[in-house]
Every structure is written in structure tokens, then in C-alpha cells.
Amino acid sequence: MKRFSALFLILISAPIFGQDLHLIERELVKFFIKAEYYPHNPLKATKKDGSVEDSVFQAKFLEITGTIPGTLTYPFDSLKLLNLYLTTGSIFSSNDSSARIYCLRSRNYFQYKFGDGVRSILLPVEKGALEFRRGYRNLYSFSDNKKTYYLGIYLFADGEGVRIFSINPKGSVDTLPLFKTKEGMKNKIMYHAKNCRDNPDGYIYFDALNKVLYMPVTNDSGELEKKPEAYKFNGKFFKKSGK
């Protein structure tokens, strides 16, 4: 109940003048609560995804984050407080502040800047990914040859994966096969490890300055090795660099 007390204080103290983003946040909170709790009581069982209220929240969230540029940098603290399964928050911004991933109600939304506006889409659920209200944990970005790429880090119960997004000239999201592996070119790579939960912040790390992705390696026992593999972007794709 502490979270909801804090949320109530935020809502009643938020200014209702100036920017409309405070009012927009209140509206989203209203739809979120209707979708999340039945009958609007946090002590009762949560509603199932796929309900009418869930669809209404999805549509409203996509509409707002896909048309109002200011939402790309707005903190949405109330939504973070409402997302009880994500104690560290549920919104991840790229390091260039041009894109975001929102993890809300077992859904993952990708919002990005395009021209002078913003767009927003639902991300597909990754096969085998952790479903219980936490799809992603980070979003990196880097630019090369006037093109920007985004690396979304998503979660499994026993590991992590990374997927690459980019925005094409028409404003749609592309998922390009930019990882060179033994099995061929892939859009995403992942790992599974018995001891992956030893580090709650995860093990996949991206060095944006040098465009190197550090990917954990597991041994024959299924446990993490100390030294990760390095994938360096060569201007066209990521390739193991031997670092």
C-alpha cells in the first residue's frame, strides 16, 4: 500500500497548469488501474491480459506515446509506481534519448523519435522470454554512417537476449540481421546460465563509444564464464572481435 499512498500524493500534488503532460499521465493512470485491478482494488486479484480494459489501455497508451513528442522524455513516475513487479522502474531510455521501451502489463512498447514527432509500437513477445511483467531491462543506442541502431536487452528466467532495432526512412521499425554467428546472420543473440541471477543488473553490456557488445559465455556445466565474448560493429554488422 505504500506505493499507492505515494502515487496518491503524486496525483494530488501534480500541477494542472502549464504543460498538459501531468494531465496526460493522470489519464493513463486511470486506464492502467482499470486494466490492472478488479474491481479497481490493488488487494484483489489482478485481471487477465486480453480483457477489454487491457485493450483500451494499450490503444490509449499507443495513441498518446505515438502523437505527443513530450512523452518521450517525460518521467511517468506514477506508472512506475503502479508497476508493482518492477521495483526499479519500467521505462528504459536509449543513451541518445531518441527512443524508449516501456514494460507495462506484460506488454513492451517501443517509442521513438521520427522527424519532429514520435511514434510508438507494441514489440513482439520474445519466445521464451520472462513473461511476468518484465520484458526488457535496458536500451542502448549508437550511430554509424548517419544511421542509428538500438539494442534492446530482454530477459529470460535463466538469461538474457539482445535484439537490434533501427528506424527506416518511412518511419517504420526494422529488425536487421546484424550479428554474425556460426549459424549465419541473426537479428538477436542470447545466453542461458544457471547462475544468471547472481547479478540483478544483468551481464550483457554495450560500450557505445567503441561499439562493442560484451556477451556472456557459459561453460559445459551451464554456468557463466568470467570473460565475456566481444562483438564489435565493423560498420556493417557485429562480429566477434576476440577482445
Side-chain angles (χ1 to χ4, degrees), residues 4-20:
F4 283 87
S5 298
L7 171 62
F8 178 74
L9 290 174
I10 288 175
L11 292 179
I12 64 173
S13 62
I16 59 174
F17 52 86
Q19 280 196 326
D20 290 337

Side-chain angles (χ1 to χ4, degrees), residues 140 142 205-214 243:
Y140 296 106
F142 72 98
Y205 171 72
F206 181 63
D207 177 353
L209 180 62
N210 296 300
K211 301 172 187 175
V212 178
L213 178 76
Y214 293 94
K243 283 188 177 182

Side-chain angles (χ1 to χ4, degrees), residues 140-169:
Y140 296 106
S141 64
F142 72 98
S143 296
D144 189 276
N145 196 24
K146 298 182 180 180
K147 190 173 182 65
T148 300
Y149 301 92
Y150 303 96
L151 282 71
I153 313 301
Y154 58 93
L155 299 168
F156 297 101
D158 61 346
E160 300 170 283
V162 54
R163 186 169 192 161
I164 299 179
F165 308 98
S166 64
I167 313 303
N168 62 38

